[in-house]
Amino acid sequence: HVQLVESGGGSVQAGESLRLSCTIPGFTSDRCDMHWSRVTTGGQREWVASISADGAETYSDTVKGRFAINRDKSDDTVYLEMMDLKPEDTAMYRCNTRGAGCVWTAGDRRFQPGPLGSWGQGTQVTVS
């Protein structure tokens, strides 16, 4: 089963930083936009940041200036650098891959996300 894998979550103090990562191990992406969202313990879902296939970055107002999204093309990993974390950033962070013509390949294996994209299982971030 091909799926995005997120990592890097943990428990930190307010003001500290974390870096989350997201990729499909062993696969290479082409024309894929990547998105980070989060779900709080109360069930509130919020889009956090996106990076387009051509590198354009967008952020929600709640994280702009504190979070940075970037992509390492050498291994097709997308990172979410989170700085000055606040207790309200506590959530399960999940990434999503989608886009017109988006495809992930590994040798003769091919994975194309559906219209709503494909999600990873998530990584928990807790800020106290």
Side-chain angles (χ1 to χ4, degrees):
H1 177 62
V2 179
Q3 188 174 32
L4 287 168
V5 176
E6 301 99 329
S7 63
S11 296
V12 297
Q13 299 292 314
E16 294 183 341
S17 301
L18 279 173
R19 186 177 77 161
L20 308 183
S21 63
C22 172
T23 190
I24 300 179
F27 280 71
T28 300
S29 70
D30 183 30
R31 291 168 288 172
C32 296
D33 302 330
M34 301 293 291
H35 311 269
W36 283 97
S37 294
R38 62 190 182 186
V39 182
T40 66
T41 52
Q44 180 180 1
R45 183 183 298 274
E46 178 187 22
W47 165 75
V48 174
S50 298
I51 186 165
S52 70
D54 60 5
E57 303 166 24
T58 51
Y59 300 92
S60 71
D61 288 342
T62 56
V63 307
K64 193 176 296 182
R66 298 188 299 121
F67 290 13
I69 188 170
N70 54 78
R71 185 196 303 255
D72 184 342
K73 293 186 178 181
S74 67
D75 61 1
D76 266 294
T77 299
V78 172
Y79 296 97
L80 185 68
E81 310 269 2
M82 306 187 297
M83 295 157 283
D84 189 24
L85 283 160
K86 305 175 186 298
E88 52 264 41
D89 294 318
T90 294
M92 176 70 74
Y93 285 72
R94 300 178 71 193
C95 66
N96 177 282
T97 182
R98 61 182 183 266
C102 171
V103 63
W104 292 74
T105 57
D108 60 358
R109 299 181 69 190
R110 184 179 175 91
F111 171 68
Q112 286 184 280
L116 297 181
S118 180
W119 293 91
Q121 296 279 18
T123 185
Q124 178 68 36
V125 172
T126 302
V127 186
S128 58

